[in-house]
Short mmCIF file of all heavy atoms in Angstrom, two decimals:
data_model
loop_
_atom_site.label_atom_id
_atom_site.label_comp_id
_atom_site.label_asym_id
_atom_site.label_seq_id
_atom_site.Cartn_x
_atom_site.Cartn_y
_atom_site.Cartn_z
N GLN A 284 52.80 -15.79 -19.36
CA GLN A 284 53.72 -16.83 -18.88
C GLN A 284 53.77 -16.90 -17.36
O GLN A 284 54.27 -17.86 -16.79
CB GLN A 284 55.11 -16.58 -19.45
CG GLN A 284 55.98 -17.82 -19.45
CD GLN A 284 57.33 -17.55 -20.09
OE1 GLN A 284 57.41 -16.88 -21.10
NE2 GLN A 284 58.37 -18.05 -19.48
N ARG A 291 53.10 -17.77 -23.58
CA ARG A 291 53.39 -16.90 -24.72
C ARG A 291 53.30 -17.65 -26.05
O ARG A 291 52.79 -17.13 -27.02
CB ARG A 291 54.75 -16.23 -24.53
CG ARG A 291 54.68 -15.12 -23.50
CD ARG A 291 55.89 -14.25 -23.50
NE ARG A 291 56.98 -14.83 -22.75
CZ ARG A 291 58.18 -14.24 -22.59
NH1 ARG A 291 58.41 -13.08 -23.15
NH2 ARG A 291 59.12 -14.82 -21.88
N ILE A 302 57.19 -11.08 -29.75
CA ILE A 302 57.55 -11.51 -28.39
C ILE A 302 58.69 -10.63 -27.91
O ILE A 302 59.55 -10.24 -28.71
CB ILE A 302 57.95 -13.01 -28.35
CG1 ILE A 302 56.69 -13.88 -28.46
CG2 ILE A 302 58.71 -13.34 -27.08
CD1 ILE A 302 56.86 -15.31 -28.03
N PRO A 304 61.70 -10.76 -25.63
CA PRO A 304 62.62 -11.42 -24.69
C PRO A 304 63.26 -10.40 -23.77
O PRO A 304 63.60 -9.29 -24.22
CB PRO A 304 63.70 -12.03 -25.61
CG PRO A 304 63.21 -11.90 -27.00
CD PRO A 304 62.18 -10.81 -27.02
N ASN A 305 63.41 -10.76 -22.52
CA ASN A 305 63.91 -9.80 -21.54
C ASN A 305 65.43 -9.67 -21.61
O ASN A 305 66.14 -10.66 -21.55
CB ASN A 305 63.48 -10.25 -20.14
CG ASN A 305 63.47 -9.09 -19.17
OD1 ASN A 305 64.25 -8.15 -19.32
ND2 ASN A 305 62.60 -9.14 -18.19
N ARG A 312 66.13 -7.39 -12.23
CA ARG A 312 64.81 -7.90 -12.61
C ARG A 312 63.84 -8.07 -11.45
O ARG A 312 62.65 -7.83 -11.59
CB ARG A 312 64.95 -9.23 -13.35
CG ARG A 312 65.54 -9.02 -14.73
CD ARG A 312 65.35 -10.22 -15.59
NE ARG A 312 66.23 -10.13 -16.76
CZ ARG A 312 66.30 -11.03 -17.70
NH1 ARG A 312 65.54 -12.11 -17.63
NH2 ARG A 312 67.10 -10.88 -18.72
N PRO A 322 57.76 -14.10 -14.84
CA PRO A 322 58.73 -15.13 -15.23
C PRO A 322 60.10 -14.55 -15.55
O PRO A 322 60.27 -13.35 -15.66
CB PRO A 322 58.09 -15.76 -16.48
CG PRO A 322 57.27 -14.68 -17.06
CD PRO A 322 56.78 -13.84 -15.91
N CYS A 323 61.06 -15.42 -15.74
CA CYS A 323 62.40 -15.09 -16.23
C CYS A 323 63.19 -14.17 -15.30
O CYS A 323 63.99 -13.37 -15.77
CB CYS A 323 62.36 -14.41 -17.59
SG CYS A 323 61.45 -15.28 -18.83
N LEU A 324 62.96 -14.26 -14.00
CA LEU A 324 63.71 -13.35 -13.12
C LEU A 324 65.17 -13.75 -13.02
O LEU A 324 66.05 -12.91 -12.84
CB LEU A 324 63.07 -13.31 -11.73
CG LEU A 324 61.69 -12.66 -11.65
CD1 LEU A 324 61.20 -12.59 -10.22
CD2 LEU A 324 61.68 -11.26 -12.25
N GLU A 326 66.79 -15.84 -15.41
CA GLU A 326 67.40 -16.17 -16.70
C GLU A 326 68.07 -14.96 -17.30
O GLU A 326 67.51 -13.86 -17.29
CB GLU A 326 66.33 -16.71 -17.67
CG GLU A 326 65.94 -18.15 -17.41
CD GLU A 326 65.01 -18.31 -16.23
OE1 GLU A 326 64.55 -17.29 -15.69
OE2 GLU A 326 64.76 -19.46 -15.83
N ASP A 327 69.27 -15.13 -17.85
CA ASP A 327 69.92 -13.99 -18.50
C ASP A 327 69.49 -13.93 -19.97
O ASP A 327 68.70 -14.75 -20.45
CB ASP A 327 71.44 -14.07 -18.35
CG ASP A 327 72.03 -15.29 -19.03
OD1 ASP A 327 71.34 -15.88 -19.89
OD2 ASP A 327 73.17 -15.65 -18.70
N ALA A 328 70.02 -12.92 -20.67
CA ALA A 328 69.60 -12.66 -22.04
C ALA A 328 69.73 -13.91 -22.92
O ALA A 328 68.84 -14.26 -23.68
CB ALA A 328 70.42 -11.52 -22.62
N GLN A 330 69.86 -17.07 -22.07
CA GLN A 330 68.91 -18.14 -21.71
C GLN A 330 67.52 -17.83 -22.24
O GLN A 330 66.84 -18.71 -22.76
CB GLN A 330 68.88 -18.32 -20.19
CG GLN A 330 70.08 -19.06 -19.68
CD GLN A 330 70.21 -18.93 -18.16
OE1 GLN A 330 69.96 -17.88 -17.59
NE2 GLN A 330 70.58 -20.01 -17.52
N CYS A 331 67.11 -16.57 -22.12
CA CYS A 331 65.78 -16.20 -22.62
C CYS A 331 65.70 -16.37 -24.14
O CYS A 331 64.69 -16.79 -24.68
CB CYS A 331 65.44 -14.76 -22.25
SG CYS A 331 64.82 -14.60 -20.58
N LYS A 332 66.80 -16.05 -24.80
CA LYS A 332 66.81 -16.16 -26.26
C LYS A 332 66.64 -17.63 -26.66
O LYS A 332 65.77 -17.97 -27.46
CB LYS A 332 68.13 -15.62 -26.81
CG LYS A 332 68.27 -15.83 -28.29
CD LYS A 332 69.55 -15.17 -28.81
CE LYS A 332 69.66 -15.32 -30.30
NZ LYS A 332 70.65 -16.34 -30.68
N ASN A 333 67.47 -18.49 -26.06
CA ASN A 333 67.41 -19.91 -26.42
C ASN A 333 66.06 -20.50 -26.07
O ASN A 333 65.49 -21.28 -26.84
CB ASN A 333 68.52 -20.68 -25.70
CG ASN A 333 69.88 -20.25 -26.21
OD1 ASN A 333 70.00 -19.74 -27.33
ND2 ASN A 333 70.91 -20.41 -25.39
N CYS A 334 65.58 -20.10 -24.92
CA CYS A 334 64.31 -20.63 -24.45
C CYS A 334 63.18 -20.23 -25.40
O CYS A 334 62.39 -21.06 -25.85
CB CYS A 334 64.06 -20.11 -23.03
SG CYS A 334 62.43 -20.40 -22.42
N LEU A 335 63.13 -18.94 -25.73
CA LEU A 335 62.04 -18.48 -26.60
C LEU A 335 62.15 -19.04 -28.01
O LEU A 335 61.14 -19.36 -28.63
CB LEU A 335 62.04 -16.95 -26.65
CG LEU A 335 61.34 -16.30 -25.48
CD1 LEU A 335 61.46 -14.79 -25.55
CD2 LEU A 335 59.85 -16.68 -25.46
N ARG A 338 60.73 -22.36 -27.91
CA ARG A 338 59.28 -22.30 -27.72
C ARG A 338 58.56 -21.92 -29.01
O ARG A 338 57.49 -22.44 -29.32
CB ARG A 338 58.94 -21.25 -26.65
CG ARG A 338 59.27 -21.69 -25.26
CD ARG A 338 59.41 -20.49 -24.35
NE ARG A 338 59.72 -20.88 -23.00
CZ ARG A 338 58.82 -21.14 -22.06
NH1 ARG A 338 57.55 -21.01 -22.33
NH2 ARG A 338 59.19 -21.52 -20.87
FE1 FES B 2 63.14 -16.19 -20.34
FE2 FES B 2 62.16 -18.58 -21.20
S1 FES B 2 61.88 -16.65 -22.00
S2 FES B 2 63.59 -18.17 -19.64
#
Side-chain angles (χ1 to χ4, degrees):
Q284 201 177 318
R291 285 192 278 181
I302 285 198
N305 202 330
R312 289 195 195 180
C323 307
L324 292 184
E326 282 77 7
D327 63 18
Q330 284 166 321
C331 278
K332 175 175 183 255
N333 294 336
C334 169
L335 278 176
R338 287 159 180 270

